């Protein structure tokens, strides 16, 4: 397969959030601002990239029957690495994302890519697939976080446009559901044309 | 009194789906029909309560004394995966129709973030054993409540006329948003 196509499919055509609707929990929970969303996205990208590469390299040795538990352990290892790294270097963001960092283990996208792509493709292709999917995920999280921050606080990346309180609803839980709903509807509309 | 606070907070105020965003996948996936939703709730409740008990033991008697708490994520997910496998085997024997109806969502309980989420949250909240069990049970009940209300609304929605781009996931998410708004009304209780 063309490597560029392999990389870029994660952004629009097979975007994990906006088209496949996988991994909705961290998407909704961590996008109260653009920075949080992007931070979460990058952490997930690292896990996706490394676990895809690792799984592709050992997929042939793992017996078929125990492959899912084996994949989960590989993924959990990388999640622990991210968890410890973020705890050491990004204290503030780490506190905000809270339990959603260890919860990357159960993000359907990571296991989904392992099962759908990494176990039957080469190490290089799987790494590119992981990177593309991860960045597509990050992009969607950034857009959603940006929109919510814009509507909820009238600011973007902590830069305040209007010196007024925003529509608080969009920062709170209901805003997450509603904004993502309309965003997916928009993508549906564009993809159908 | 302390337990009543935990119960009300777990079911209503900090509802696991609508305000903590855990377990959204099954929430959107199996809430098309009330009967499937009930089966899912049963399986999830069982796994959450049992997983919390087992992981609590592991945390107190293994990880903490040995000072290897960074192994938490890996051990917890293994325990949960094993429990789900067990539930699958039991259900296959006891109720084949329910097993068939739950289909793919049964193995997916492993990747249901509500399960791992609750087991991690009781560590963060520093609950003792009884508190953890109460919290786990009533979080599952909160999950069930949200799922049932949502399944009821979606059964009604099948008959309504929805714009093409909004059909499926988008309308479900917007509905969930409105439901979350309703649950915010409980915020003053605790």
């Amino acid at each position: 397969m063309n490597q560029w196509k392999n990389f870029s499919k994660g952004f629009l055509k097979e975007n994990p959030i906006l088209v496949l609707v996988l991994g909705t929990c961290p998407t909704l929970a961590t996008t109260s601002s653009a920075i949080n969303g992007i931070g979460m996205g990058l952490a997930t990208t690292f896990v996706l990239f490394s676990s895809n590469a690792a799984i592709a390299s050992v997929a042939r040795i793992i017996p078929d029957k125990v492959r899912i538990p084996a994949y989960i352990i590989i993924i959990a290892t990388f999640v622990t690495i991210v968890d410890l790294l973020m705890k050491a270097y990004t204290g503030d963001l780490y506190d905000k994302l809270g339990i959603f960092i260890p919860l990357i283990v159960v993000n359907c996208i990571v296991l989904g890519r392992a099962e759908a792509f990494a176990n039957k493709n080469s190490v290089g292709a799987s790494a590119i697939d992981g990177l593309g999917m991860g960045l597509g995920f990050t992009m969607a999280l950034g857009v959603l976080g940006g929109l919510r921050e814009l509507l909820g606080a009238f600011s973007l990346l902590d830069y305040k446009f209007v010196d007024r309180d925003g529509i608080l609803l969009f920062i709170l839980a209901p805003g997450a559901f509603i904004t993502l709903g309309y965003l997916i509807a928009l993508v549906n509309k564009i993809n159908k044309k | 009194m302390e337990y009543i606070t935990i119960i009300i907070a777990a079911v209503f105020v900090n509802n696991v789906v609508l305000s903590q965003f855990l377990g959204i996948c099954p929430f959107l996936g199996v809430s098309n029909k009330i009967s499937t939703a009930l089966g899912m709730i049963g399986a999830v409740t069982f796994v959450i309560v049992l997983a919390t008990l087992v992981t609590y033991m592991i945390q107190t008697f293994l990880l903490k004394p040995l000072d290897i708490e960074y192994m938490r994520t890996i051990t917890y997910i293994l325990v949960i995966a094993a429990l789900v496998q067990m539930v699958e085997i039991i259900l296959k024997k006891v109720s084949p129709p329910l097993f068939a109806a739950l289909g793919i969502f049964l193995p997916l309980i492993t990747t249901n973030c509500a399960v791992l989420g609750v087991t991690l949250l009781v560590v963060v909240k520093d609950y003792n054993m009884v508190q953890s069990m109460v919290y786990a049970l009533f979080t599952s009940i909160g999950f069930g409540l949200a799922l049932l209300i949502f399944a009821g609304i979606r059964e009604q929605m099948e008959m309504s006329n929805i714009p093409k781009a909004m059909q499926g996931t988008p309308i479900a998410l917007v509905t969930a948003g409105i439901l979350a708004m309703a649950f915010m009304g409980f915020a003053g209780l605790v």
Side-chain angles (χ1 to χ4, degrees):
Chain A
M1 200 203 298
N2 183 330
Q3 291 303 340
W4 170 246
K5 228 183 219 164
N6 183 15
F7 175 72
S8 64
K9 68 176 184 293
F11 286 88
L12 255 186
K13 227 177 85 217
E14 283 184 43
N15 188 293
I17 297 174
L18 302 174
V19 180
L20 305 176
V21 199
L22 289 172
T24 25
C25 305
T27 310
L28 293 168
T30 60
T31 50
S32 53
S33 75
I35 285 287
N36 291 357
I38 292 169
M40 183 68 201
L42 290 178
T44 313
T45 306
F46 173 78
V47 174
L48 252 171
F49 173 77
S50 344
S51 70
N52 248 15
I55 287 168
S57 57
V58 295
R60 243 166 266 161
I61 340 172
I62 300 174
D64 210 37
K65 273 194 175 157
V66 293
R67 66 177 194 285
I68 301 283
Y71 295 168
I72 290 180
I73 294 175
I74 293 173
I75 294 166
T77 311
F78 287 110
V79 170
T80 308
I81 294 172
V82 172
D83 192 75
L84 294 173
L85 280 177
M86 288 187 74
K87 201 182 201 167
Y89 294 109
T90 61
D92 196 30
L93 187 65
Y94 180 82
D95 289 340
K96 271 188 196 149
L97 297 179
I99 65 160
F100 283 92
I101 301 280
L103 282 182
I104 297 176
V105 176
V106 288
N107 189 325
C108 330
I109 303 167
V110 186
L111 193 59
R113 288 328 286 175
E115 182 70 0
F117 198 94
N119 70 353
K120 40 186 170 277
N121 284 289
S122 70
V123 177
S126 303
I128 291 173
D129 173 81
L131 194 64
M133 279 286 163
L135 291 178
F137 182 71
T138 310
M139 183 196 77
L141 250 66
V143 170
L144 186 63
L147 271 177
R148 284 179 67 193
E149 198 184 339
L150 208 58
L151 290 165
F154 293 142
S155 66
L156 193 60
L157 298 170
D158 288 334
Y159 175 79
K160 210 140 170 66
F161 292 109
V162 191
D163 197 23
R164 291 179 63 182
D165 288 337
I167 312 160
L168 190 62
L169 181 78
F170 284 98
I171 301 275
L172 297 173
F177 286 105
I178 294 170
T179 318
L180 182 62
Y182 279 104
L183 206 60
I184 293 176
L186 189 72
V187 172
N188 277 352
K189 188 109 189 157
I190 295 168
N191 275 355
K192 278 218 175 78
K193 265 181 192 164
Chain B
M1 190 59 217
E2 159 200 22
Y3 291 108
I4 296 173
T5 317
I6 294 180
I7 291 170
I8 293 177
V11 179
F12 298 111
V13 182
N14 295 323
N15 186 284
V16 61
V17 182
L18 297 169
S19 92
Q20 310 227 51
F21 305 112
L22 295 171
I24 309 269
C25 293
F27 180 69
L28 294 173
V30 292
S31 57
N32 286 326
K33 270 168 70 191
I34 287 185
S35 54
T36 349
L38 276 175
M40 186 70 185
I41 295 165
V44 167
T45 308
F46 184 72
V47 174
I48 287 187
V49 174
L50 216 56
T52 310
L53 180 67
V54 177
T55 53
Y56 184 84
M57 302 272 195
I58 291 177
Q59 166 72 14
T60 341
F61 298 117
L62 207 65
L63 299 184
K64 219 169 186 179
L66 294 177
D67 205 22
I68 45 167
E69 281 177 301
Y70 60 88
M71 292 291 284
R72 200 187 288 142
T73 317
I74 298 185
T75 41
Y76 278 27
I77 195 71
L78 277 177
V79 167
I80 293 167
L83 282 174
V84 169
Q85 196 78 48
M86 204 175 83
V87 172
E88 215 178 320
I89 294 168
I90 294 172
L91 216 57
K92 210 174 185 173
K93 277 259 154 52
V94 177
S95 167
L98 189 61
F99 179 77
L102 288 175
I104 179 121
F105 286 99
L106 208 53
L108 279 185
I109 295 181
T110 312
T111 52
N112 179 341
C113 31
V115 182
L116 188 59
V118 168
T119 55
L120 289 172
L121 275 174
V122 295
V123 178
V124 175
K125 289 178 191 265
D126 208 14
Y127 282 157
N128 66 32
M129 183 142 156
V130 183
Q131 284 171 327
S132 303
M133 300 310 293
V134 170
Y135 179 76
L137 178 64
F138 282 91
T139 303
S140 326
I141 290 177
F143 175 76
L145 182 73
L147 204 67
L148 272 186
I149 296 176
F150 199 57
I153 299 175
R154 280 185 98 175
E155 277 190 352
Q156 296 294 315
M157 227 155 47
E158 272 178 19
M159 282 164 273
S160 46
N161 199 0
I162 298 160
K164 207 155 192 181
M166 289 294 286
Q167 272 168 15
T169 318
I171 191 72
L173 281 168
V174 174
T175 315
I178 296 169
L179 201 56
M181 227 184 284
F183 268 73
M184 272 172 63
F186 292 115
L189 274 180
V190 174

